[in-house]
Every structure is written in structure tokens, then in C-alpha cells.
Amino acid sequence: MAAYMITSTLRRVLLVAKHASFQSRCCVASSRVQYSTVYDSNEKTFDKILIANRGEIACRVMKTCKKMGIKTVAVHSDVDASAVHVKMADEAVCVGPAPTNKSYLNMDAIMDAIRKTGSQAVHPGYGFLSENKEFAKRLAAEDVVFIGPDTHAIHAMGDKIESKLLAKAANVNVIPGFDGVVENVEDAVKIAGDIGYPVMIKASAGGGGKGMRIAWNDDETREGFRLSSQEAASSFGDDRLLIEKFVDNPRHIEIQVLADKHGNALWLNERECSIQRRNQKVVEEAPSTFLDPETRRAMGEQAVQLAKAVHYSSAGTVEFLVDSNKNFYFLEMNTRLQVEHPITECITGLDLVQQMIRVAKGFPLLHKQEDIPINGWAIESRVYAEDPYKSFGLPSIGRLSQYQEPINLPKVRVDSGIQEGSDISIYYDPMISKLVTYGATRAEALQRMEAALDNYVIRGVTHNIPLLREIITHPRFISGDITTNFLPEEYPEGFKGHQLTSEGRRELVSTAAALYVSAQLRSQRFLGNLRVSTTPQEQRQWELCVELEKGSHTVAVSRSGSTFTVEVDGVTVEVSGEWNLASALLPVTINRTPRVLQCLSRDAGGDITLQYLGTQFKVRVLSQLVSTLSAHMPEKVPEDTSSILRSPMPGSVVAVSVKPGDVVAEGQEICVIEAMKMQNSLIAAKAAKVKSVHCKAGETVGEGDLLVQLE
């Protein structure tokens, strides 16, 4: 488990890792530098490690443990009994029912699992107990190693109020704000007024965007205090809040640090995390397009100063806000493995989980600061079971009826903890995977990400691939001109999916027509022969009507082998492909441009749903006769949504603010729904009297359930 490298300043022997699968995705070569992680079986660490987590991060830790020859123990709730991380582990222990406070946050049950299995160390992953100092103390009391920093560092950096004071003392740039705990809502309003709007209200013990609100006036401060304190109590068991100045139009750039127990500390370059929704990251990349070498070094050195100030030992992340003038301010330090750590692994060649395990055992770091390279470019897209058309992503639940990762593509890495048949439940984070692509340049990494998203098959739940693909192909993102306000600025009316150009519309119409004809031709054959021997010669030309987005196109289709020539709107489009209707993917060439579409559904009535450039489009292909007759069919009248309030997501009802007979104003809060530990305030669409209430606090509701009806 040693790591070796060759640089212009340091010559060592490069050892080739036995397990090349991780290397092929994370370790790359340039003309100057080659950096490779090697797993040395002679360097003894632990015999058995328990991973106190679930999903993709539990699987990620187990992969490295297996390469290091370490046995692994999984913990799971009863609903996770068949989860991938459970199957991957050498042993598994059930620690309780589905709710996190009764399972993955149940310290007593996890401690029992440690004793039962004889685990020598615990890796907490991220979230859950990863930054819980009490858990670390209990492990230490039983001589079990916590693979992370000591309790002092967890406490100091986990408390945002104390961490800010320590950062100041360590000469780290900090955001102006109030250094104490906000006592109550009126105290919050006074403090916000003293600092000056806008302000950021956030949980002192928080992270991951939970318990965080931006307020631009007194009313928003009152609402933000209430919702943030409730989220903080629910997510972290600590409702303390702090308030600081909100830096408008910032970039969110973080520095990965790595430190050992011998006083050595390194910064492993930066990650750009500015693409966010509700203060939660969506797309990350390393390095940042914005930083110059001087700013990168200054940020890295301040991050190391802070780590050394709290005697930090493990992998950790120091987050900064960076303004347009490259002034940077300390935001927080995450004393754990960060979700987006794979992109750092790609550009440095280091296995951060291996480094954490070595440090926890007491080994010193093998590298110096000058040894740390930036090789190429890596981009990570967080693939969620979310509906991107609702507030850029509200949770979706369901079973993965079909699931296929694009790992057949070069330089693509997928960190996931699910498989076909897995359930995405209401109880846990809706992340499906972390999709990572690597390239020698940013343009190459982006091109690979585009292809990976097109080739990613996810059926059974709503997902955010439409949003991810639009982001990584957006001209502003490609140029690197981004801030944390990217999404609301570019989609002020909300995300609407890919907007078709006239050329894109013709491509989609032509592909749908070709697919329809292919299906018709296949239905006429059995075992390669025509079903009826007296059937006349195969048809080679068709006149069709294709309906798309309330528009109708008359198209003429002709066929030659696997190539279809489609005339639409006076323009000829040539579409060719294998037309394997049983495949989840539909690779085609449209006017010599390769595309990968997905046929999500089709029926005998000509209704086809295609995923094109990431977005789902409903298309109807009809013969000319059927099209003429369909014009006489009655249309379904859409529901009047202004008089009813339905749940936009599955979740639990936290509070109901109205009762029958109440008069509500437009924009007034009706109820609060909590999903995946995030609280969402639902408001009235118009001023009216409440006719009926169909929910109460504590109930579980599904997406689309009727909550309140107005007169």
C-alpha cells in the first residue's frame, strides 16, 4: 500500500499495480509525469474494517479494501438487506429498520455490529456518522480505529461557529458575519440587519446544503430561521444557526487536503463546485478553469494552515467562496471523504480511501507537496433520482426496472451502489451514482461526459440526466463563466429541458419516423421470413404524419437497407443505424453525425417516447389515414391546478398551516413537506378560501397526492 511517482524533481521506480481497473480510470500519464497508486500487500494495516454507511460510498470504500487485502463488514437497515453494498461485503449486519435514526445513525446497534464481527476499524464514508465526534469517542473507548480525524478536529471544524474563529486565528480569510449562536428569530432579524442583506442562514453543525437559506429581507430571515432550524434538528440533531454575509455571484471552490499523524499535510489541488441547486452540488470538475497558479497555491497553503492548526490527520476538504476578483473566503471544512473525491483521484492518481486507511494506521505520507501533479481534467456529474423540472430536482422514488452504466466507454468511471431491480426509497438520499469522465483536456472530458450521459440507461425512476446534459453542453459552462447562481440565472423560469432548434426538430422527427417504419417492418416478419407468404413485395416508401410538441409534420420516408431517407419540412434527412428494437440504446447516424438516442416506450398506436440529447420527447407517428381520423377525437381537458395543491414529491408532512374555511393569500404557506431531510414550503397559487384539507402532520404522502383543495 505504498505510492510511488516519477517527476522532474524526484526519480523513483514506478511499480505497476496489480489491479489495473482502478488505475485505468484514475491514473493517467502525460509527457512529464506518471503517477500511480500501488497496493503493497507487505504493508499491514487492518484485517477487517466495518463501513458505517450505505450505497455508493460504502461500495467505493470496499473496492479499495479488497485491493489492500482487507475484509469488510457492511451494516444495513432492513429495507437495504439486498443492497449492493451488502452483497459486496464479506460480512453484513442489520442495524435496524429503515428510518436513519433507527439504523445508520443508531450508534448502539453499530457498536454491537463492531463487537460481533471483531472489526478493528470503521470507515464512516460521508454523511450519517462521518462527522459525529461522539461516535468517534465511543470507537476510541473500545480501541477501534476511526478512519478519519480525531475528535478534536471533528468538533472544531464540525461547528461552523468555532471553525470560523479558528480559521481567523490561523490567518485564513473568512466571510464577515456574526461569530456567535443565533438565539431566536428576532435575534436573527437584528443580526441580519447589522450585517446587511443579503445574508446566509446556516446550520452550525450542518453540511450538504441542509439547514441553509439565503435571506434578502426581514421576512425571508424569519422564514429561513424557522425552516433552517427544523432541517438542522432533523438532519444533525442540532438546531443551532449562524448568520454571515452572503457573497453574491461567487464561485464555490474547494481544496482537498491530506494530513498524517506526523505533522505532514498536503493540498491536492482544487475542485470547482459552483454548479449547485439549493446549495447542493450538481456538477464538479478538477481543476478549476478560474484559478491561476498563484491563487491555487494561496488557497492550498491556507487550507493546510487550517488543517495544521487543528492537528488534522486524514483526508479533508476546505471549502472557499471565490469572488470575481479571485478574493477567497473560508466557508467550512468537511472532516471526511468528500462526495466528489473521484475527480481529485483522477488528476493526481492517488486513491484517497487508501491514504485515509494508511494514515489511520499511523503511517506517514509518502509524498511531498512538489510531488502532487495536475494531470488532465476530470468532471463529475451527480446522477440523482430527481425530477429536474421541479425546482431543478425534487426526489423521485421507485424501482430501477432497467439500469445500464456507460462503463464500456473509455475514461469513464461510475461510482454507484445500486443495480437493476434496486429500490430508490423515501428514506435515503436519492443519488443513483457519481458519473466521472477524464480527458487530457477539459474539452475531451466534456465530450466524454456528453457521450456517457447519452449512453446511461435508467428506467423506473425519474432522473436528472436531462439537466446534467444541458449544463455540460451550455455555452456559458463550456466557456468556464460560472457562479453558484448559474442555474437560476440561465433558467429563471425553471428548467424546461432541451429546447429544440429547427435542425434538432427535424432530426428527432426523422428518427421517430424511421423507428416507426422499422417496427412496422419487423412486425411483418417471423424468424427472418414474411409472416404471410402471399404478402406483396416489401414496402419501401411511406407517407406519415409525425406530431411533436403540438406541431405536426407530414413526412415522406424511403428505405434502402438500414438507411432511411426522410423528407421533412422540405429538407432531406438521412438516418441510418442497426435498428435493434430490443436494445435500450438506439445508436444512429443522422446526416453523418453520430447520435445515441433511447427509445423509452412505444405502442401500437404510434406513441413513442425518445430520449434525445438527454431530454425525453413524446412523439406520435401516424399513417396519413389515421392522422386524418384522429382530428375528430375529443381532447382531455387538463386539470385546474390553481384550486388544488398536490404533493410535488414523495415525503412526510411536517406541518399544515391551514384548515377548512381559512382564507389564504396568493403565495401564503399551506404546508411543509420533508423529503430526503430537506423541507419544502408549499404555497397557495391564488387568493381563495380553503375548501378541504386532505393531510395532517406526520403523514407520508406520495407524489401527486391531493393535499389541500381551494374554492
Side-chain angles (χ1 to χ4, degrees):
M1 297 161 300
Y4 301 84
M5 64 171 294
I6 293 175
T7 69
S8 58
T9 60
L10 180 65
R11 297 188 178 187
R12 295 178 181 170
V13 177
L14 175 65
L15 300 179
V16 179
K18 294 179 180 178
H19 302 278
S21 61
F22 188 85
Q23 305 289 9
S24 65
R25 296 175 187 173
C26 297
C27 303
V28 295
S30 70
S31 58
R32 293 181 59 251
V33 176
Q34 188 165 4
Y35 199 93
S36 181
T37 293
V38 176
Y39 305 94
D40 181 2
S41 59
N42 294 319
E43 187 178 73
K44 298 300 181 183
T45 54
F46 305 102
D47 296 322
K48 186 182 292 186
I49 291 176
L50 181 142
I51 295 91
N53 217 300
R54 66 179 299 278
E56 66 87 12
I57 189 58
C59 294
R60 164 69 190 91
V61 173
M62 289 176 192
K63 288 176 183 176
T64 290
C65 287
K66 289 183 184 299
K67 291 171 184 175
M68 296 175 71
I70 301 170
K71 291 184 178 180
T72 57
V73 179
V75 294
H76 64 90
S77 65
D78 53 8
V79 298
D80 273 347
S82 299
V84 174
H85 78 280
V86 175
K87 297 175 181 177
M88 185 179 291
D90 296 295
E91 300 175 61
V93 180
C94 181
V95 290
T100 55
N101 64 332
K102 297 179 180 179
S103 52
Y104 296 104
L105 291 175
N106 186 345
M107 281 191 258
D108 290 338
I110 293 174
M111 293 303 299
D112 286 342
I114 294 168
R115 299 183 198 103
K116 178 181 178 180
T117 58
S119 300
Q120 300 166 317
V122 172
H123 196 300
Y126 57 76
F128 294 137
L129 298 172
S130 63
E131 296 176 284
N132 189 303
K133 64 180 182 297
E134 296 304 322
F135 182 55
K137 284 181 181 177
R138 291 185 64 172
L139 292 175
E142 300 202 19
D143 292 326
V144 177
V145 176
F146 179 75
I147 301 176
D150 63 22
T151 55
H152 166 70
I154 295 173
H155 172 75
M157 293 294 100
D159 187 307
K160 289 185 172 59
I161 297 169
E162 184 172 343
S163 67
K164 188 173 178 180
L165 295 173
L166 285 167
K168 275 185 179 180
N171 295 318
V172 176
N173 304 342
V174 298
I175 301 171
F178 179 66
D179 292 334
V181 177
V182 183
E183 297 295 337
N184 52 52
V185 67
E186 294 308 320
D187 192 27
V189 171
K190 181 180 182 303
I191 292 168
D194 292 341
I195 295 172
Y197 289 107
V199 298
M200 173 73 82
I201 304 167
K202 58 198 218 181
S204 175
K210 296 179 175 67
M212 194 176 290
R213 294 289 189 283
I214 299 166
W216 294 80
N217 53 51
D218 290 355
D219 289 340
E220 290 185 4
T221 298
R222 290 187 176 91
E223 181 182 34
F225 181 90
R226 177 174 62 87
L227 293 174
S228 292
S229 59
Q230 290 173 356
E231 282 182 8
S234 172
S235 298
F236 315 113
D238 184 343
D239 64 358
R240 292 177 304 145
L241 302 177
L242 61 85
I243 297 179
E244 61 190 19
K245 182 70 176 177
F246 175 64
V247 181
D248 203 8
N249 293 315
R251 286 175 178 258
H252 185 137
I253 301 177
E254 61 191 28
I255 300 292
Q256 176 72 57
V257 295
L258 180 64
D260 62 23
K261 301 178 187 294
H262 304 274
N264 303 305
L266 308 173
W267 49 274
L268 308 182
N269 303 310
E270 80 279 4
R271 295 185 288 256
E272 171 83 62
C273 308
S274 296
I275 304 299
Q276 303 180 3
R277 49 97 175 96
R278 299 191 302 279
N279 300 305
Q280 292 181 310
K281 301 160 191 172
V282 180
V283 176
E284 301 102 344
E285 60 182 308
S288 168
T289 60
F290 189 62
L291 295 191
D292 52 57
E294 292 74 22
T295 308
R296 175 178 296 116
R297 186 181 306 108
M299 293 176 69
E301 288 174 351
Q302 286 200 15
V304 166
Q305 285 170 209
L306 182 59
K308 287 185 174 181
V310 294
H311 306 291
Y312 197 86
S313 60
S314 192
T317 298
V318 181
E319 300 191 351
F320 293 95
L321 289 181
V322 185
D323 68 19
S324 57
N325 295 317
K326 296 183 180 175
N327 298 309
F328 56 90
Y329 306 96
F330 170 71
L331 184 62
E332 65 181 6
M333 183 176 188
N334 292 314
T335 58
R336 52 170 166 79
L337 188 65
Q338 199 82 331
V339 175
E340 57 274 16
H341 75 274
I343 54 178
T344 295
E345 294 181 325
C346 285
I347 67 167
T348 64
L350 284 174
D351 180 340
L352 293 183
V353 174
Q354 181 215 23
Q355 297 298 320
M356 294 178 75
I357 294 172
R358 290 189 72 257
V359 167
K361 185 62 176 177
F363 290 110
L365 299 180
L366 291 170
H367 308 99
K368 304 296 183 184
Q369 188 61 58
E370 60 268 22
D371 298 338
I372 306 302
I374 297 181
N375 278 340
W377 215 283
I379 298 172
E380 175 179 289
S381 292
R382 298 193 187 190
V383 182
Y384 282 104
E386 290 182 338
D387 187 343
Y389 302 98
K390 297 177 180 177
S391 301
F392 299 111
L394 292 183
S396 169
I397 61 172
R399 177 165 293 174
L400 291 167
S401 57
Q402 194 170 6
Y403 184 74
Q404 183 177 312
E405 296 174 347
I407 52 176
N408 60 305
L409 302 179
K411 303 283 179 67
V412 173
R413 167 177 169 176
V414 183
D415 282 15
S416 67
I418 48 90
Q419 61 186 3
E420 193 165 288
S422 292
D423 287 315
I424 307 296
S425 77
I426 190 176
Y427 299 104
Y428 311 117
D429 187 273
M431 180 183 284
I432 293 174
S433 73
K434 299 179 308 196
L435 177 63
V436 181
T437 57
Y438 171 81
T441 64
R442 186 171 186 262
E444 188 178 312
L446 283 172
Q447 186 178 35
R448 287 186 170 135
M449 179 61 72
E450 189 176 337
L453 290 168
D454 285 342
N455 283 270
Y456 206 148
V457 178
I458 305 171
R459 311 280 168 82
V461 297
T462 305
H463 55 76
N464 68 334
I465 282 180
L467 176 62
L468 295 172
R469 199 184 189 284
E470 285 299 295
I471 290 171
I472 61 113
T473 58
H474 196 289
R476 182 177 161 190
F477 181 83
I478 293 172
S479 72
D481 178 23
I482 57 176
T483 71
T484 55
N485 294 322
F486 176 87
L487 289 178
E489 285 174 356
E490 293 303 319
Y491 308 101
E493 302 301 319
F495 180 66
K496 307 295 182 183
H498 180 73
Q499 302 301 299
L500 291 171
T501 62
S502 55
E503 181 182 4
R505 191 177 186 87
R506 287 192 295 270
E507 284 191 7
L508 185 55
V509 166
S510 300
T511 304
L515 181 65
Y516 173 84
V517 171
S518 294
Q520 294 293 310
L521 292 174
R522 191 181 75 162
S523 68
Q524 296 171 8
R525 290 183 169 273
F526 179 72
L527 297 179
N529 299 312
L530 291 173
R531 289 179 179 272
V532 182
S533 59
T534 57
T535 301
Q537 189 175 6
E538 267 191 343
Q539 186 177 351
R540 294 193 175 273
Q541 292 186 332
W542 296 262
E543 294 287 332
L544 302 172
C545 179
V546 182
E547 299 173 2
L548 171 64
E549 293 184 334
K550 298 182 180 179
S552 182
H553 303 263
T554 299
V555 303
V557 183
S558 59
R559 169 178 169 262
S560 176
S562 62
T563 300
F564 292 87
T565 302
V566 185
E567 189 171 315
V568 52
D569 298 336
V571 178
T572 299
V573 179
E574 192 172 90
V575 188
S576 60
E578 295 181 2
W579 307 107
N580 181 354
L581 303 183
S583 173
L585 299 174
L586 184 65
V588 295
T589 300
I590 307 175
N591 287 341
R592 298 184 179 179
T593 300
R595 301 276 192 205
V596 177
L597 286 77
Q598 295 185 33
C599 181
L600 305 181
S601 67
R602 59 185 177 84
D603 61 27
D607 289 319
I608 302 173
T609 302
L610 290 173
Q611 183 172 305
Y612 170 72
L613 302 182
T615 296
Q616 296 181 17
F617 292 93
K618 294 184 182 299
V619 186
R620 173 174 286 184
V621 184
L622 305 172
S623 67
Q624 288 288 5
L625 175 61
V626 174
S627 175
T628 302
L629 296 175
S630 67
H632 302 286
M633 297 294 289
E635 292 187 8
K636 183 179 179 180
V637 179
E639 183 180 47
D640 178 13
T641 56
S642 65
S643 298
I644 59 173
L645 181 67
R646 294 187 181 277
S647 179
M649 77 214 87
S652 59
V653 180
V654 175
V656 180
S657 307
V658 299
K659 62 182 183 300
D662 286 354
V663 176
V664 296
E666 182 180 352
Q668 181 177 331
E669 181 178 283
I670 298 292
C671 63
V672 177
I673 303 293
E674 182 179 282
M676 313 298 180
K677 298 297 182 183
M678 295 292 288
Q679 296 200 357
N680 303 272
S681 177
L682 306 185
I683 61 175
K686 66 178 183 179
K689 181 183 286 188
V690 177
K691 182 178 180 181
S692 58
V693 177
H694 300 270
C695 64
K696 60 183 179 181
E699 285 186 342
T700 299
V701 295
E703 181 179 355
D705 284 1
L706 179 63
L707 303 176
V708 175
Q709 189 171 7
L710 305 177
E711 291 186 354

